[in-house]
Amino acid sequence: MLTINKDGTPSYNEVNYVLHELEDSRIKRHILSGIITDMEVSDIGAKNTNCRVRYKNQSVLIPISEMGIELSNNDNGDEWVRKTQILSKMLGAVVDFIVRGIDRDDPDDIHIVASRADALRKKRFEYFTSNDPIFDIEKYDKAEARVIAVSQQSARLEICGVELTLPMNELFWSWVADVREHLSPGDVIPVKILDESVDEEGNIKLRVSGKEAVKNTAALALKKIHAGNKCVGVVTHIEENQPVFIRLENGANAIAHNSRVNTVAYPGDIVTLAINDINEEKQTAVGVITNVIKQNKEF
């Protein structure tokens, strides 16, 4: 139905306009982007899991087999169970897709199916392997990375169609106890491209660093710390027969070989550290834990 606005101009149905964009994606293989809002777990096996992506006012279904989730050689167990676990951490992430089909049989219940894998392949081709690739490491040593999923010790990133997992020590200069406290699916962060290569099977491999794309704030903060200071910090890591790793309140990194309190410090605990040395080579302060101010209730 054609309706007229108060100013006399035609009023176009928004749903039809969005469907036109989706149809255009199907015909011309244009890449669209949306937010993962739901994961539909199947009763007949993880391989039949689907996710829903919101594109403007339309819901787009993407089967897990079309999500383009690649597993590393370290991933053990059932392939589809592992991919489902990764997908569950991707809720809220922004992802690209290309529409595969639109079912308009029922105007009140339109079904749209798409492929993220198609979009990733197209982006990799355009950025890296076409005759005139967009990305040239000699021109661009930095890029924006989408945060796709986050775990305690790492983040899964998508960079120009290439997915990779970056450990916490390559994400931040300052030590952290849990990456999930600092990054979420849907975030965009800068990364430095350290190396680009293509393996024998034609797969694009990127070696990147998140922290090297920004200033070393931990080193700058360390310059404000001196032997004899007492500082507040949060425990980020503990390991048997190893020092306690601490991020000081100002962002400097520190280690404690000893403690003057009987309470064991755990990750997330807030402690007081008496500084007795600065290790310039390792860019850390060295001290002794003198007090546990607040314990992490998870331990």
Side-chain angles (χ1 to χ4, degrees), residues 2-266:
L2 177 63
T3 58
I4 306 299
N5 295 321
K6 290 182 179 180
D7 61 1
T9 59
S11 175
Y12 297 102
N13 188 305
E14 183 184 359
V15 173
N16 289 341
Y17 177 73
V18 175
L19 286 175
H20 173 75
E21 293 179 326
L22 292 163
E23 190 67 58
D24 204 43
S25 169
R26 183 187 69 83
I27 296 171
K28 300 179 181 178
R29 294 186 58 77
H30 286 171
I31 294 175
L32 301 176
S33 301
I35 299 174
I36 300 177
T37 59
D38 302 276
M39 184 177 79
E40 302 171 352
V41 181
S42 172
D43 294 333
I44 57 176
K47 191 174 181 178
N48 295 284
T49 298
N50 299 317
C51 74
R52 292 277 177 181
V53 173
R54 172 63 59 179
Y55 179 73
K56 297 185 178 179
N57 59 6
Q58 291 293 309
S59 178
V60 178
L61 184 143
I62 304 180
I64 193 170
S65 58
E66 291 298 326
M67 280 298 293
I69 300 173
E70 300 292 338
L71 301 180
S72 69
N73 294 331
N74 298 325
D75 283 305
N76 299 318
D78 184 273
E79 172 189 359
W80 295 104
V81 170
R82 181 68 187 116
K83 287 184 176 182
T84 300
Q85 292 171 341
I86 294 173
L87 179 58
S88 69
K89 296 178 180 179
M90 294 173 65
L91 292 172
V94 176
V95 296
D96 297 319
F97 62 88
I98 294 175
V99 175
R100 285 275 189 92
I102 301 177
D103 182 354
R104 299 171 179 258
D105 288 348
D106 183 352
D108 295 324
D109 188 21
I110 298 172
H111 295 276
I112 306 156
V113 179
S115 170
R116 178 174 181 253
D118 286 353
L120 292 176
R121 279 191 290 268
K122 184 176 181 181
K123 286 180 72 174
R124 289 194 295 267
F125 173 76
E126 292 176 344
Y127 277 87
F128 298 104
T129 61
S130 69
N131 292 330
D132 186 21
I134 296 172
F135 183 82
D136 183 344
I137 196 169
E138 295 182 0
K139 295 181 180 179
Y140 309 105
D141 64 342
K142 293 180 182 178
E144 287 188 339
R146 285 177 177 168
V147 178
I148 300 300
V150 183
S151 66
Q152 181 179 355
Q153 298 186 5
S154 64
R156 193 177 185 94
L157 309 177
E158 186 254 305
I159 307 163
C160 305
V162 178
E163 275 199 12
L164 53 86
T165 299
L166 208 57
M168 62 166 58
N169 65 334
E170 281 298 334
L171 286 166
F172 314 106
W173 287 110
S174 298
W175 296 336
V176 301
D178 192 333
V179 176
R180 294 169 295 188
E181 296 177 356
H182 303 270
L183 294 176
S184 302
D187 289 346
V188 176
I189 63 171
V191 295
K192 184 172 183 178
I193 310 296
L194 303 177
D195 188 39
E196 171 203 351
S197 61
V198 183
D199 64 19
E200 295 178 353
E201 298 178 354
N203 298 314
I204 308 297
K205 301 293 183 182
L206 296 179
R207 186 167 64 88
V208 309
S209 172
K211 66 182 184 181
E212 291 192 31
V214 297
K215 289 183 179 180
N216 187 341
T217 52
L220 294 173
L222 185 64
K223 293 180 179 180
K224 301 177 182 179
I225 305 296
H226 306 282
N229 288 10
K230 283 193 175 181
C231 305
V232 173
V234 58
V235 176
T236 62
H237 183 72
I238 60 170
E239 195 169 327
E240 190 174 357
N241 299 321
Q242 295 290 329
V244 177
F245 294 83
I246 300 166
R247 182 185 71 255
L248 300 182
E249 186 67 27
N250 76 338
N253 297 321
I255 59 173
H257 291 281
N258 300 300
S259 175
R260 294 177 186 167
V261 295
N262 295 326
T263 305
V264 177
Y266 289 99

